[in-house]
Amino acid sequence: MKKSFKLRDLDCANCAAKMEDAICKLDGVNSATVSFMTQKLTLDADDARFDQILQQAAKACKKVEPDCTIVMP
């Protein structure tokens, strides 16, 4: 399943790259892109565990940029 999410308070392109690397390493993630310019996360992950993986991705983002949050629909 592939979905896009808006990011709030992403402050720098370097942090976006670090977040993308961390999310890509999570188990069940097929691909992930974090765009500083559009302030978006595009996540392609295992359908059965998508919500769980999204929560792990949110934690990974917080480790890199404590103020950054993923806007959940």
Side-chain angles (χ1 to χ4, degrees), residues 8-32:
R8 187 176 294 137
D9 296 328
L10 177 58
D11 294 332
C12 74
N14 190 38
C15 293
K18 288 180 182 177
M19 285 179 196
E20 185 174 309
D21 286 343
I23 293 168
C24 284
K25 291 177 184 171
L26 294 174
D27 186 43
V29 174
N30 300 324
S31 69

mmCIF file of all heavy atoms in Angstrom, residues 8-32:
data_model
loop_
_atom_site.group_PDB
_atom_site.id
_atom_site.type_symbol
_atom_site.label_atom_id
_atom_site.label_comp_id
_atom_site.label_asym_id
_atom_site.label_seq_id
_atom_site.Cartn_x
_atom_site.Cartn_y
_atom_site.Cartn_z
ATOM 1 N N ARG A 8 4.427 18.244 9.306
ATOM 2 C CA ARG A 8 4.325 19.548 9.942
ATOM 3 C C ARG A 8 5.631 19.834 10.691
ATOM 4 O O ARG A 8 6.133 18.970 11.406
ATOM 5 C CB ARG A 8 3.144 19.558 10.911
ATOM 6 C CG ARG A 8 2.854 20.936 11.487
ATOM 7 C CD ARG A 8 1.613 20.940 12.364
ATOM 8 N NE ARG A 8 0.425 20.655 11.552
ATOM 9 C CZ ARG A 8 -0.541 19.826 11.946
ATOM 10 N NH1 ARG A 8 -0.479 19.208 13.085
ATOM 11 N NH2 ARG A 8 -1.588 19.626 11.165
ATOM 12 N N ASP A 9 6.168 21.022 10.507
ATOM 13 C CA ASP A 9 7.376 21.495 11.203
ATOM 14 C C ASP A 9 8.651 20.740 10.823
ATOM 15 O O ASP A 9 9.511 20.489 11.663
ATOM 16 C CB ASP A 9 7.188 21.467 12.730
ATOM 17 C CG ASP A 9 6.104 22.415 13.199
ATOM 18 O OD1 ASP A 9 5.926 23.472 12.562
ATOM 19 O OD2 ASP A 9 5.435 22.105 14.188
ATOM 20 N N LEU A 10 8.775 20.397 9.543
ATOM 21 C CA LEU A 10 10.028 19.832 9.028
ATOM 22 C C LEU A 10 10.905 21.016 8.655
ATOM 23 O O LEU A 10 10.562 21.790 7.771
ATOM 24 C CB LEU A 10 9.761 18.940 7.816
ATOM 25 C CG LEU A 10 10.965 18.324 7.124
ATOM 26 C CD1 LEU A 10 11.791 17.484 8.099
ATOM 27 C CD2 LEU A 10 10.533 17.463 5.948
ATOM 28 N N ASP A 11 12.040 21.174 9.359
ATOM 29 C CA ASP A 11 12.810 22.412 9.261
ATOM 30 C C ASP A 11 13.983 22.412 8.288
ATOM 31 O O ASP A 11 14.431 23.468 7.889
ATOM 32 C CB ASP A 11 13.321 22.819 10.647
ATOM 33 C CG ASP A 11 12.189 23.194 11.580
ATOM 34 O OD1 ASP A 11 11.138 23.640 11.094
ATOM 35 O OD2 ASP A 11 12.350 23.036 12.806
ATOM 36 N N CYS A 12 14.518 21.246 7.926
ATOM 37 C CA CYS A 12 15.674 21.292 7.029
ATOM 38 C C CYS A 12 15.743 20.066 6.120
ATOM 39 O O CYS A 12 15.239 18.995 6.457
ATOM 40 C CB CYS A 12 16.974 21.458 7.808
ATOM 41 S SG CYS A 12 17.536 20.004 8.678
ATOM 42 N N ALA A 13 16.376 20.257 4.966
ATOM 43 C CA ALA A 13 16.489 19.192 3.978
ATOM 44 C C ALA A 13 17.364 18.048 4.495
ATOM 45 O O ALA A 13 17.112 16.882 4.183
ATOM 46 C CB ALA A 13 17.056 19.750 2.685
ATOM 47 N N ASN A 14 18.380 18.370 5.282
ATOM 48 C CA ASN A 14 19.251 17.345 5.840
ATOM 49 C C ASN A 14 18.468 16.424 6.777
ATOM 50 O O ASN A 14 18.649 15.201 6.754
ATOM 51 C CB ASN A 14 20.430 18.002 6.582
ATOM 52 C CG ASN A 14 21.482 17.007 6.976
ATOM 53 O OD1 ASN A 14 21.780 16.076 6.238
ATOM 54 N ND2 ASN A 14 22.055 17.207 8.146
ATOM 55 N N CYS A 15 17.601 17.004 7.587
ATOM 56 C CA CYS A 15 16.761 16.201 8.487
ATOM 57 C C CYS A 15 15.817 15.311 7.681
ATOM 58 O O CYS A 15 15.567 14.163 8.051
ATOM 59 C CB CYS A 15 15.957 17.102 9.419
ATOM 60 S SG CYS A 15 16.981 18.000 10.595
ATOM 61 N N ALA A 16 15.290 15.828 6.588
ATOM 62 C CA ALA A 16 14.392 15.053 5.730
ATOM 63 C C ALA A 16 15.128 13.830 5.194
ATOM 64 O O ALA A 16 14.571 12.730 5.163
ATOM 65 C CB ALA A 16 13.876 15.913 4.577
ATOM 66 N N ALA A 17 16.379 14.002 4.790
ATOM 67 C CA ALA A 17 17.171 12.881 4.270
ATOM 68 C C ALA A 17 17.429 11.842 5.358
ATOM 69 O O ALA A 17 17.349 10.632 5.107
ATOM 70 C CB ALA A 17 18.483 13.391 3.703
ATOM 71 N N LYS A 18 17.717 12.300 6.569
ATOM 72 C CA LYS A 18 17.947 11.379 7.690
ATOM 73 C C LYS A 18 16.674 10.604 8.019
ATOM 74 O O LYS A 18 16.720 9.413 8.313
ATOM 75 C CB LYS A 18 18.426 12.144 8.926
ATOM 76 C CG LYS A 18 19.840 12.655 8.810
ATOM 77 C CD LYS A 18 20.240 13.397 10.070
ATOM 78 C CE LYS A 18 21.623 13.969 9.971
ATOM 79 N NZ LYS A 18 21.993 14.742 11.169
ATOM 80 N N MET A 19 15.532 11.281 7.992
ATOM 81 C CA MET A 19 14.249 10.620 8.254
ATOM 82 C C MET A 19 13.976 9.555 7.200
ATOM 83 O O MET A 19 13.555 8.448 7.530
ATOM 84 C CB MET A 19 13.105 11.638 8.232
ATOM 85 C CG MET A 19 13.022 12.518 9.419
ATOM 86 S SD MET A 19 11.638 13.639 9.181
ATOM 87 C CE MET A 19 12.018 14.841 10.422
ATOM 88 N N GLU A 20 14.212 9.900 5.945
ATOM 89 C CA GLU A 20 13.976 8.969 4.849
ATOM 90 C C GLU A 20 14.832 7.710 5.030
ATOM 91 O O GLU A 20 14.335 6.594 4.884
ATOM 92 C CB GLU A 20 14.296 9.650 3.525
ATOM 93 C CG GLU A 20 13.972 8.813 2.316
ATOM 94 C CD GLU A 20 14.169 9.564 1.016
ATOM 95 O OE1 GLU A 20 13.640 10.691 0.888
ATOM 96 O OE2 GLU A 20 14.855 9.021 0.139
ATOM 97 N N ASP A 21 16.105 7.888 5.380
ATOM 98 C CA ASP A 21 16.992 6.741 5.607
ATOM 99 C C ASP A 21 16.475 5.859 6.738
ATOM 100 O O ASP A 21 16.451 4.641 6.635
ATOM 101 C CB ASP A 21 18.412 7.203 5.939
ATOM 102 C CG ASP A 21 19.154 7.722 4.723
ATOM 103 O OD1 ASP A 21 18.722 7.440 3.585
ATOM 104 O OD2 ASP A 21 20.176 8.411 4.910
ATOM 105 N N ALA A 22 16.068 6.493 7.846
ATOM 106 C CA ALA A 22 15.593 5.746 9.010
ATOM 107 C C ALA A 22 14.312 4.975 8.689
ATOM 108 O O ALA A 22 14.157 3.815 9.081
ATOM 109 C CB ALA A 22 15.365 6.698 10.186
ATOM 110 N N ILE A 23 13.385 5.593 7.973
ATOM 111 C CA ILE A 23 12.109 4.955 7.637
ATOM 112 C C ILE A 23 12.341 3.794 6.660
ATOM 113 O O ILE A 23 11.723 2.734 6.793
ATOM 114 C CB ILE A 23 11.113 5.986 7.069
ATOM 115 C CG1 ILE A 23 10.719 6.985 8.173
ATOM 116 C CG2 ILE A 23 9.865 5.296 6.531
ATOM 117 C CD1 ILE A 23 9.968 8.198 7.673
ATOM 118 N N CYS A 24 13.241 3.979 5.701
ATOM 119 C CA CYS A 24 13.524 2.915 4.725
ATOM 120 C C CYS A 24 14.080 1.659 5.390
ATOM 121 O O CYS A 24 13.914 0.558 4.868
ATOM 122 C CB CYS A 24 14.486 3.416 3.654
ATOM 123 S SG CYS A 24 13.698 4.483 2.435
ATOM 124 N N LYS A 25 14.726 1.813 6.537
ATOM 125 C CA LYS A 25 15.320 0.675 7.247
ATOM 126 C C LYS A 25 14.304 -0.104 8.088
ATOM 127 O O LYS A 25 14.617 -1.184 8.579
ATOM 128 C CB LYS A 25 16.471 1.150 8.139
ATOM 129 C CG LYS A 25 17.666 1.620 7.339
ATOM 130 C CD LYS A 25 18.758 2.162 8.233
ATOM 131 C CE LYS A 25 19.902 2.711 7.398
ATOM 132 N NZ LYS A 25 20.888 3.422 8.203
ATOM 133 N N LEU A 26 13.101 0.434 8.257
ATOM 134 C CA LEU A 26 12.081 -0.245 9.058
ATOM 135 C C LEU A 26 11.614 -1.513 8.361
ATOM 136 O O LEU A 26 11.472 -1.545 7.137
ATOM 137 C CB LEU A 26 10.879 0.676 9.295
ATOM 138 C CG LEU A 26 11.110 1.919 10.152
ATOM 139 C CD1 LEU A 26 9.863 2.787 10.158
ATOM 140 C CD2 LEU A 26 11.498 1.542 11.568
ATOM 141 N N ASP A 27 11.335 -2.540 9.147
ATOM 142 C CA ASP A 27 10.854 -3.806 8.613
ATOM 143 C C ASP A 27 9.464 -3.624 8.010
ATOM 144 O O ASP A 27 8.579 -3.038 8.631
ATOM 145 C CB ASP A 27 10.809 -4.849 9.747
ATOM 146 C CG ASP A 27 10.452 -6.228 9.236
ATOM 147 O OD1 ASP A 27 10.985 -6.614 8.179
ATOM 148 O OD2 ASP A 27 9.642 -6.905 9.890
ATOM 149 N N GLY A 28 9.285 -4.096 6.782
ATOM 150 C CA GLY A 28 7.992 -4.001 6.115
ATOM 151 C C GLY A 28 7.858 -2.820 5.171
ATOM 152 O O GLY A 28 6.874 -2.707 4.450
ATOM 153 N N VAL A 29 8.860 -1.926 5.164
ATOM 154 C CA VAL A 29 8.825 -0.765 4.277
ATOM 155 C C VAL A 29 9.415 -1.143 2.925
ATOM 156 O O VAL A 29 10.550 -1.621 2.853
ATOM 157 C CB VAL A 29 9.594 0.430 4.889
ATOM 158 C CG1 VAL A 29 9.690 1.582 3.903
ATOM 159 C CG2 VAL A 29 8.923 0.887 6.171
ATOM 160 N N ASN A 30 8.649 -0.947 1.864
ATOM 161 C CA ASN A 30 9.143 -1.188 0.504
ATOM 162 C C ASN A 30 9.936 0.013 0.011
ATOM 163 O O ASN A 30 11.007 -0.137 -0.560
ATOM 164 C CB ASN A 30 7.983 -1.481 -0.446
ATOM 165 C CG ASN A 30 7.206 -2.714 -0.022
ATOM 166 O OD1 ASN A 30 7.766 -3.669 0.471
ATOM 167 N ND2 ASN A 30 5.902 -2.672 -0.208
ATOM 168 N N SER A 31 9.385 1.201 0.234
ATOM 169 C CA SER A 31 10.091 2.437 -0.111
ATOM 170 C C SER A 31 9.478 3.594 0.669
ATOM 171 O O SER A 31 8.330 3.526 1.109
ATOM 172 C CB SER A 31 10.007 2.715 -1.612
ATOM 173 O OG SER A 31 8.695 3.059 -1.978
ATOM 174 N N ALA A 32 10.284 4.628 0.838
ATOM 175 C CA ALA A 32 9.809 5.831 1.515
ATOM 176 C C ALA A 32 10.564 7.026 0.961
ATOM 177 O O ALA A 32 11.763 6.937 0.685
ATOM 178 C CB ALA A 32 10.034 5.727 3.021
#
